[in-house]
Amino acid sequence: MGSESGRVQRGEQSRISQWLRRRQKPAAEDPGKEREALLLAVAAAGLPLAPAAHPAGYRCSCDRIGCPTPARHPLSFAWQTQSTTDRAQVERWARNQPQANFITATGMVHDVLDVPLEAGAAALARLLEAGIEVGPVAESGGTGEQARMLFFTATRGTPEDEDEWWPCELDCHPETMDEHPGLRWHCRGSYVLVPPAALPGDLAVSWIRGMEHPLPDPLTLLETLTDACATYAGTANLTPAAVAWPLGH
């Protein structure tokens, strides 16, 4: 009797699961609306957005011969002043440029700690296990060293002493390998792609943890991320330049 009851219960659960999948299917058929909703959530959280290039096959939509960062760069050289959180403007961009990726300008409201994917996955597990508040996290697709994980944090702000500032133009130089191997801190003057973003080769940038998570202080994550990067650099036998130089920016 108990066995028969279990079969009935499993059958009912299966029918419920099938019904839920059918109910959810229409939403999946409109990726444009889903994309727009994700972008608006980023803007609503105060992260400024601007349109970026997108893949054209295995090339970049900018048509620059040998583009070094295909589908990963802003459309306009004025991206810093163009970036906005205005809902109406983001909606216009999203609807008028349905293939465009979007970047978010860092160093105003938020920073991004950018690490190798393998190191980031290990660090994320440690941070969550320790009960440390982790904010939004995105995965940027790629192979080998190009696969990255992006930890979105609150910005450090502009320090009183400019010598204390860690500018993004310098934080990724190979000579910083010993102290911060493989880590790039996107702050003032930098940007990252925001999900959902398409990359050449059917790769993508997607959320692991979305914008419903508040932005943490970057210093609460830094030690764990640095340790994970050091471990990754050692086990992967990479050169300092390979792990310290920015990839996919």
Side-chain angles (χ1 to χ4, degrees):
M1 182 73 177
S3 175
E4 178 65 25
S5 175
R7 284 196 296 272
V8 171
Q9 187 176 23
R10 287 193 295 273
E12 184 65 26
Q13 289 174 343
S14 177
R15 284 193 293 273
I16 291 173
S17 297
Q18 291 172 4
W19 179 80
L20 285 172
R21 284 195 293 270
R22 287 197 298 270
R23 293 279 293 177
Q24 293 168 354
K25 191 174 180 181
E29 290 176 348
D30 194 349
K33 285 189 176 179
E34 182 180 359
R35 166 179 172 265
E36 185 176 316
L38 288 170
L39 292 171
L40 289 174
V42 173
L47 280 57
L49 298 174
H54 62 84
Y58 282 86
R59 297 181 297 103
C60 183
S61 61
C62 72
D63 286 333
R64 176 183 174 186
I65 297 176
C67 175
T69 54
R72 297 176 184 267
H73 61 82
L75 291 178
S76 172
F77 289 114
W79 57 270
Q80 292 189 70
T81 55
Q82 184 186 49
S83 298
T84 183
T85 59
D86 181 72
R87 180 185 178 92
Q89 180 61 69
V90 173
E91 286 178 339
R92 283 193 293 271
W93 281 333
R95 295 171 187 179
N96 295 335
Q97 303 177 60
Q99 291 183 295
N101 288 333
F102 280 79
I103 58 96
T104 178
T106 54
M108 291 184 279
V109 173
H110 70 300
D111 291 349
V112 172
L113 301 176
D114 174 351
V115 299
L117 180 61
E118 185 177 328
L124 180 59
R126 285 175 54 192
L127 290 164
L128 294 176
E129 184 178 356
I132 295 173
E133 293 294 331
V134 180
V137 180
E139 177 181 343
S140 180
T143 56
E145 300 162 24
Q146 291 185 332
R148 309 289 289 181
M149 190 171 286
L150 309 175
F151 290 77
F152 288 68
T153 72
T155 188
R156 295 175 66 210
T158 303
E160 292 182 9
D161 183 355
E162 280 292 317
D163 290 337
E164 295 179 3
W165 187 262
W166 188 4
C168 69
E169 293 86 355
L170 300 177
D171 66 12
C172 52
H173 283 192
E175 58 265 28
T176 66
M177 164 68 176
D178 292 339
E179 187 177 0
H180 300 283
L183 171 69
R184 188 176 193 204
W185 190 328
H186 295 272
C187 50
R188 182 179 57 181
S190 189
Y191 60 83
V192 297
L193 286 176
V194 292
L199 301 174
D202 293 326
L203 300 174
V205 181
S206 55
W207 288 119
I208 296 175
R209 290 167 54 88
M211 291 306 305
E212 67 273 16
H213 299 283
L215 297 171
D217 184 326
L219 298 183
T220 63
L221 312 182
L222 186 59
E223 183 178 357
T224 302
L225 288 173
T226 300
D227 287 347
C229 285
T231 300
Y232 167 76
T235 57
N237 295 319
L238 301 176
T239 64
V243 293
W245 201 254
L247 297 164
H249 179 45

